[in-house]
Amino acid sequence: MPASAPEVPALPVTFRPTRTRLVLLTVGAAMFVVITAVALLLENLSAGERSSFVFTAVLFLGVLTLLSRPKVVADTSGVTVVNITRTRRLEWAEILRVNLRPGDPWVFLDLSDGTSLPVLGIQPGIAKQHAIRDARALRALSESRGGSDAH
């Protein structure tokens, strides 16, 4: 972190990997359109075969939509972490530290119960500087709310 403290964002604030989400949803929609078009254009397919093509397209779109779901919502009372299939609500006092170390795939929260919670809503993937900025903002929020260890 730089010598100056990062600015604490106004609450409520939502952090999410916007570029990754855009790519996943665009690819999912494109795959759905292409697979469905192939099912409709192939003349030798039965109704059941066409249905299986469309079902497969819906399945792909559903998986990519789930993968695009992660986000972090911070408000005055705490943080809601939405990962792929789970959502967890945390009070500010439960968050001891916000970590994004070099090579980490996403942010980790060190919690007061001794566990660590992955936060897929802040991930360096294809937008590293954006993720670092979001991680610093979440850390600043956590520290300003009194739940963080200042070490």
Side-chain angles (χ1 to χ4, degrees), residues 123-138:
Q123 50 182 273
I126 59 177
K128 184 176 182 179
Q129 292 307 315
H130 183 75
I132 291 169
R133 190 172 45 253
D134 286 353
R136 287 180 177 157
L138 184 58

Side-chain angles (χ1 to χ4, degrees), residues 4-137:
S4 65
E7 187 176 318
V8 177
L11 295 176
V13 63
T14 300
F15 303 105
R16 71 173 20 152
T18 308
R19 286 186 196 164
T20 303
R21 181 183 166 125
L22 180 64
V23 168
L24 289 169
L25 293 175
T26 302
V27 168
M31 286 176 57
F32 176 81
V33 168
V34 168
I35 293 171
T36 301
V38 167
L40 297 175
L41 293 174
L42 290 176
E43 297 173 6
N44 296 334
L45 294 181
S46 69
E49 291 169 328
R50 287 181 203 277
S51 297
S52 69
F53 268 74
V54 174
F55 175 76
T56 301
V58 168
L59 194 61
F60 282 143
L61 180 58
V63 167
L64 292 177
T65 300
L66 269 178
L67 291 173
S68 72
R69 185 174 180 253
K71 67 181 177 180
V72 181
V73 180
D75 59 34
T76 56
S77 63
V79 175
T80 303
V81 177
V82 179
N83 286 333
I84 295 171
T85 59
R86 295 185 186 258
T87 300
R88 183 160 176 198
R89 177 73 186 165
L90 300 166
E91 300 300 319
W92 286 112
E94 293 178 80
I95 302 170
L96 299 179
R97 185 170 301 170
V98 177
N99 293 311
L100 180 59
R101 296 172 295 261
D104 279 352
W106 39 71
V107 163
F108 289 90
L109 300 179
D110 292 340
L111 304 179
S112 59
D113 65 2
T115 63
S116 183
L117 177 67
V119 179
L120 280 64
I122 302 175
Q123 50 182 273
I126 59 177
K128 184 176 182 179
Q129 292 307 315
H130 183 75
I132 291 169
R133 190 172 45 253
D134 286 353
R136 287 180 177 157

